[in-house]
Amino acid sequence: MSVQVENLEKNMAKLTVEVSPEDFEKAVQAAYMKNKNRITIPGFRKGKAPRIMIEKMYGTGIFYEDAANALIQEEYPKAAEESKLDIVSQPEIDIVQIEKGKPFIFTAEVAVKPEVTLGEYKGVEVEVSPVEVTEEEVAAELKREQENNSRTIDVDDRAVEQGDMITLDFEGFVDGEAFEGGKGTDYPLTIGSNSFIPGFEDQLVGAKIGEEKEVNVTFPESYHANDLAGKPAVFKCTVKSIKVKELPELDDEFAKDVSEFDTLDEYKADIEKNLKERKEEVAKREKEDKAVDAVIANAQMDIPEPMIQNQINQLMQDFIRRMQAQGLSIDQYYQFTGLDNAKIQEQMRPQALKRIQSRLVLEKIAEVENIQISDEKFEEEVKRMADMYKMEADKLKEMMGDYEKEQIKMDMAVQEAVTLVADAAKTVEKKEEEKAE
């Protein structure tokens, strides 16, 4: 095999790979051996027909496609390594020559990691919001904990009120006809949760247990089921049960029950401290993101389109996995949202571009600043990862190849570059009108 490299515009390159006639013939013979049992030739038992007879009947090139695929799969990785290029996309393959007795030639067009020219990256200016915790935020957190420790009691001596948790039988009708998906039995519903069609829950206020109540609503124009969108409907509803939350008193006893503190004041002080720590962490991430954004704006790089598409494909695969984890297929998601693959990929494009830009500038800063990850730091990171996966650090390390180890070190160097940029950034407090927006 021989490979020639041609540099193209916009950080693209073309590899021309030539495979000897002898290796091409071996690949064709291998393709014949693989496929001969599937081919029937009159006068020969299945799988026993000589290659020359098969080629005579079906054409010389009958095995070329399989042979070409096998050679490309085998030779492209070698050619990519031999080229010394930093390839960042899947290759676009084109067969140039495939003919008996001649070299097999194909080209692979690839995107190459672009060179980054850094601008100012130390001392960039970023706007930040001061970290403050209000009494209202502490009260809201206390309210959530109070809700979490509430108990549910049955109510049978009154009608439904806002905030009640009810179980409900219902059946919906449009133009007097029941429609698919419009029926429910013992359905749990919190009045005021706005989880049903607008107006549905409000009309159940005042309903008594066991009595049937008609609820009149109109499906929104944007409703996901096209046959129901914009249409008036009648739901026949029967409330089966009413439950309410009984909240504990906010006092010292409550603090003792839900925390390690003896008094409510101590517990509230701890809530304030935790809220502040969380806000400080968010502010730190915000500062880092804004500092990196400023560095990207000051840098120059020409990102090839296939590199962006490759990142979009990765985001798309992650998105599909998340949907599947929620029990939803991507086709169902398309149906519910009215989106399609092309629209979702277009929405992902800015995120994909930002990821690439961030990584490129941070890797360049790590290079310029000569950020090196010591063995001690690497071992600490492996231990952290092992703890996360509930494994022994030595076993996790054994599973890693040289490439994986280098990637971890590069990720750590990139994170140190983020810290360097953020620590050196000049902070300007956000103006009040900007914070309000």
Side-chain angles (χ1 to χ4, degrees), residues 56-126:
K56 188 173 182 181
M57 174 167 283
Y58 292 102
T60 309
I62 182 173
F63 300 116
Y64 282 6
E65 182 177 350
D66 277 1
N69 288 339
L71 282 172
I72 290 167
Q73 190 172 356
E74 181 180 350
E75 301 298 334
Y76 168 72
K78 298 177 187 175
E81 186 175 357
E82 188 176 319
S83 73
K84 306 297 184 186
L85 296 175
D86 196 346
I87 295 171
V88 291
S89 73
Q90 294 298 316
E92 188 174 319
I93 302 292
D94 186 31
I95 295 175
V96 176
Q97 179 173 283
I98 184 166
E99 192 174 337
K100 187 173 184 179
K102 293 186 178 181
F104 171 63
I105 303 173
F106 68 93
T107 60
E109 194 166 312
V110 295
V112 179
K113 184 177 178 179
E115 184 60 39
V116 177
T117 303
L118 291 172
E120 181 185 27
Y121 64 89
K122 287 182 179 177
V124 294
E125 191 172 282
V126 297

Side-chain angles (χ1 to χ4, degrees), residues 257-312:
D257 287 341
V258 302
S259 75
E260 61 189 43
F261 301 100
D262 293 328
T263 68
L264 185 62
D265 286 342
E266 288 175 314
Y267 180 45
K268 287 168 71 174
D270 186 63
I271 289 175
E272 182 177 1
K273 172 177 164 288
N274 290 333
L275 281 173
K276 187 173 183 182
E277 286 175 355
R278 292 207 297 267
K279 282 193 166 190
E280 285 172 343
E281 186 61 30
V282 170
K284 178 187 173 187
R285 298 284 173 246
E286 182 184 1
K287 182 184 177 184
E288 289 176 349
D289 288 344
K290 288 185 175 181
V292 172
D293 285 346
V295 173
I296 290 171
N298 293 338
Q300 293 181 351
M301 63 195 104
D302 192 1
I303 300 173
E305 181 59 32
M307 189 179 186
I308 300 173
Q309 188 57 50
N310 200 43
Q311 183 66 57
I312 291 173

Side-chain angles (χ1 to χ4, degrees), residues 185-354:
T185 303
D186 291 330
Y187 191 91
L189 176 65
T190 299
I191 304 300
S193 64
N194 299 318
S195 53
F196 266 40
I197 304 163
F200 184 99
E201 294 168 28
D202 290 341
Q203 292 179 57
L204 290 174
V205 172
K208 295 179 180 177
I209 294 173
E211 73 175 14
E212 185 178 281
K213 185 175 181 67
E214 286 193 355
V215 171
N216 294 276
V217 294
T218 299
F219 283 99
E221 295 290 345
S222 58
Y223 196 66
H224 63 82
N226 293 331
D227 57 333
L228 298 176
K231 291 186 177 179
V234 176
F235 284 85
K236 293 182 178 179
C237 305
T238 303
V239 175
K240 304 283 284 295
S241 69
I242 304 172
K243 296 179 187 292
V244 295
K245 282 184 179 179
E246 187 175 68
L247 300 177
E249 289 291 329
L250 291 177
D251 53 20
D252 291 345
E253 287 303 314
F254 173 76
K256 289 176 185 177
D257 287 341
V258 302
S259 75
E260 61 189 43
F261 301 100
D262 293 328
T263 68
L264 185 62
D265 286 342
E266 288 175 314
Y267 180 45
K268 287 168 71 174
D270 186 63
I271 289 175
E272 182 177 1
K273 172 177 164 288
N274 290 333
L275 281 173
K276 187 173 183 182
E277 286 175 355
R278 292 207 297 267
K279 282 193 166 190
E280 285 172 343
E281 186 61 30
V282 170
K284 178 187 173 187
R285 298 284 173 246
E286 182 184 1
K287 182 184 177 184
E288 289 176 349
D289 288 344
K290 288 185 175 181
V292 172
D293 285 346
V295 173
I296 290 171
N298 293 338
Q300 293 181 351
M301 63 195 104
D302 192 1
I303 300 173
E305 181 59 32
M307 189 179 186
I308 300 173
Q309 188 57 50
N310 200 43
Q311 183 66 57
I312 291 173
N313 292 341
Q314 290 181 29
L315 290 173
M316 193 70 191
Q317 288 168 10
D318 291 343
F319 179 72
I320 291 171
R321 280 194 289 269
R322 288 198 303 274
M323 288 295 102
Q324 291 172 339
Q326 296 172 28
L328 199 65
S329 72
I330 191 65
D331 289 334
Q332 289 172 319
Y333 181 81
Y334 291 155
Q335 183 182 355
F336 293 153
T337 61
L339 299 172
D340 56 26
N341 185 276
K343 288 178 181 175
I344 292 178
Q345 289 206 16
E346 191 57 34
Q347 290 176 357
M348 290 178 172
R349 187 179 182 84
Q351 183 186 357
L353 181 60
K354 173 72 179 299

